[in-house]
Each structure stands twice: as C-alpha cells, then as structure tokens.
Amino acid sequence: MAMIDNAVYVDGRRVDSSSTLAPARRDCDLTWIGLFRPNARELDAVAAEFDLHENAVEDAGKGHQRAKLERYGDTLFVVLRPAWNDAHEGTVEFGEVHLFVGDRFVVSVRHADRPDLAALRARVEQDPEFLAKGSEAVTAAMLDEVVDGYGPVVEVLQDEIDEIEDQLFAGHVAADVSKRIYQLLSEVLAFQRATKPVPAMVNGLLRGADKYAVDEEVQHRLRDVLDHALRVTERIDSFRALLENALTLHSTLVSQEQNEAMRRMTSASLAQGEESRQLARAAHQQGEEVKKISSWAAILFAPGLIAGVYGMNFDDMPELHWRWGYPVAILAMLALAGVLWLVFRKRNWL
C-alpha cells in the first residue's frame, strides 16, 4: 500500500503505528493516515474503513482537482493546491493534497512529492496539547502549512515583476520581454486558481466551528491562516493587474519604438531623395554646360576646317589664284557656322 504513515493518537501522543490499516480503530482519540498516490484498491480499502463518500473517493483517486471544501455527512473533503518555486526550471510548480476529515480521523492523500507532510506530522506531534484537540487541529495545521508555503512563491513572483518593470523603463524594450510577461501571467493565473478558494474554505470552517464544537485554539489558528490567505490572494490579484498593465505598456512601447524607427527611416529616405535630386540637378546642369561647350566647339571647328584646308599652300590648288576665292571662303565659313548655330539652337543646346 502507498502508505507513508499510519498512526493512532491518544491525548495527542502517538500510541500505535503500522504500515497497514490495522491500527485504524475508532476507540482512540485520533487516527491519522498518510497516503501517497494510492491506487483505486488502496483508496477503496481506506474508504471502507472510514465510510468515505464514493464521490469524494473518486475525486481523490483522479486528482487534478481545484481547491475546494465539501461536506459529506459528518466527513469533510478538502482539496488543497500547494505551490513552490522550481529553482532549476524557474517556474511555479503545484501539488495536490486531499484530506478526509472525520470526527476522530484524518486521511491525507498526496499526489506530488511536495509538501513534506512527514515533516509537518513531526512538528504537530511535538505539540501534543494542540494535537489532542482532534482532527480539526490536523486540518488547521495542514492549511497553515500550505498557506505558509505560498509566501516564498509570492516573493519570487514579486522579484520577477520588479525585474520586468525595470526592463520596461530601461529605455529600450527587449524583444523577449513580452514572452516573459505571458509566461509569468500564466503562472500568476494558475497560482490565483490555487489560492483564491482558500479564504472561502477557511471561512466555511470558522462558520461551522460552533456547530461542530471546534476548540477555540483551533479557531484562532484558522483565523491566522485566513489572514495569511487573504494577504496572499490580494497580492496575487495585484500581480495579475500589474502584469496585464505591463503587457499593455509593453505593446505601447514597442509600437512607439516601431513608429520612431519608421520616422527615422522616412527622414533618412527623404534626405536621401533630396540628395539624389540635388545630384540629378547638378548632373543636368553639367550636361547642359557640356552641350553648350560641344555646340560652340562644333561651330568654331567648321570655319577652322575650311581655313585649315586653304592654309596648306599646295601649288596645285586652283582656288588660291581665283579672284573670288577669299570672299567665297569667308562666306562659306560664316554660312556653315550659322547653319550649325541654328541647328543647335533648335535642339536647345544653345
């Protein structure tokens, strides 16, 4: 059997222990049985011994229950979701503890390695006067243990939220911040589901305290648990609001950075365009100057060509001895230059 401990108490002191259900008898002050991931047959044996309701037994066998408190006749069925920080993975992990609480018995069913209920039992056994107050004392101690375990988780979540806030206001928003916010928000929501029902559960126990003659010291312990549970749930509610606001703020900051980057790119593009236009204007002006220079060079080249031909002074050049040769050459030069000027002018080169 997946039994971790099985003890019978009289006046708050252990008088019998066994690895079986043998010591579980009803003529003692309290029987406290601890089970770890029991199978259906083992649960049925315990259920038959203590006349547990089949619906509660079915829930305890399946696991994956939300935190709750239900009463089946004279037996309470309590589901608690302990939480702790996994330092290796950097995440919040959750366990599951089911309690069957009767007049003179407590059966705890644990589905995870934590919390260490053996250590809790050892601490409770060191206070026989409190343990002598019965199954309600064990229930209060169990609630106190689980709620106290929420404290370190809250502090780690607070540190991580502070770190995210520092990153958001650091001047540059890292790309992976949104992913971390989503992960942390998911952990906070899971933590909220585990812790939110606890104050109502403790209030329910306190409302029934007079009816079931719960000892005043146990009630005081429960009120202390209620106070701690309320503080935890309030901080978790604030964590959820902070993370949701951080996610909105991150989206806003990312949009602002993107808009600023687009403005810088647009300004750079406009500056580059202006520079290109200036270069184009300069190139155009340079082209115009080249065309003018080329046009005048061609106009001046034509008369020079005629003058160069007749300046060669060959003997066999009949025009050199022609009476009208000089004026004809001058007129030809002027005519050719004029024709070229008109052509270049028409083409807007001049």
Side-chain angles (χ1 to χ4, degrees), residues 66-69 78-81 143-144 146-148 150 191-208 219 221-237:
R66 298 190 64 167
K68 61 182 179 180
L69 183 148
V78 183
V79 179
L80 298 173
R81 299 300 308 272
L143 284 164
D144 195 14
V146 171
V147 172
D148 283 348
Y150 293 151
F191 195 25
Q192 189 178 48
R193 286 193 294 271
T195 60
K196 198 172 186 66
V198 175
M201 294 164 57
V202 178
N203 269 322
L205 292 174
L206 288 171
R207 284 195 301 270
Q219 293 187 49
R221 184 79 169 266
L222 288 174
R223 282 190 288 269
D224 186 59
V225 172
L226 176 61
D227 181 62
H228 291 171
L230 286 172
R231 279 185 285 177
V232 168
T233 55
E234 288 171 359
R235 292 190 68 182
I236 294 302
D237 289 343

Side-chain angles (χ1 to χ4, degrees), residues 251-265:
S251 300
T252 303
L253 292 175
V254 169
S255 297
Q256 288 178 347
E257 285 193 355
Q258 291 175 343
N259 292 338
E260 184 62 29
M262 288 297 296
R263 282 194 293 271
R264 289 195 296 267
M265 291 175 61

Side-chain angles (χ1 to χ4, degrees), residues 41-90:
R41 180 179 57 81
E42 293 164 346
L43 268 179
D44 288 342
V46 174
E49 176 70 21
F50 295 101
D51 192 24
L52 304 180
H53 196 279
E54 58 181 6
N55 291 342
V57 173
E58 182 180 0
D59 288 345
K62 290 180 179 179
H64 305 290
Q65 303 292 312
R66 298 190 64 167
K68 61 182 179 180
L69 183 148
E70 296 175 340
R71 180 171 290 278
Y72 295 92
D74 293 332
T75 302
L76 278 177
F77 178 58
V78 183
V79 179
L80 298 173
R81 299 300 308 272
W84 63 91
N85 294 297
D86 189 326
H88 180 68
E89 297 294 334

Side-chain angles (χ1 to χ4, degrees), residues 156-202:
V156 170
L157 289 175
Q158 180 69 71
D159 291 341
E160 294 189 0
I161 291 173
D162 291 342
E163 183 179 347
I164 286 175
E165 289 179 337
D166 292 341
Q167 291 177 349
L168 288 176
F169 295 102
H172 174 69
V173 183
D176 60 346
V177 172
S178 61
K179 179 180 178 181
R180 183 55 189 144
I181 293 175
Y182 273 117
Q183 292 174 341
L184 197 57
L185 182 58
S186 177
E187 292 179 5
V188 167
L189 290 175
F191 195 25
Q192 189 178 48
R193 286 193 294 271
T195 60
K196 198 172 186 66
V198 175
M201 294 164 57
V202 178

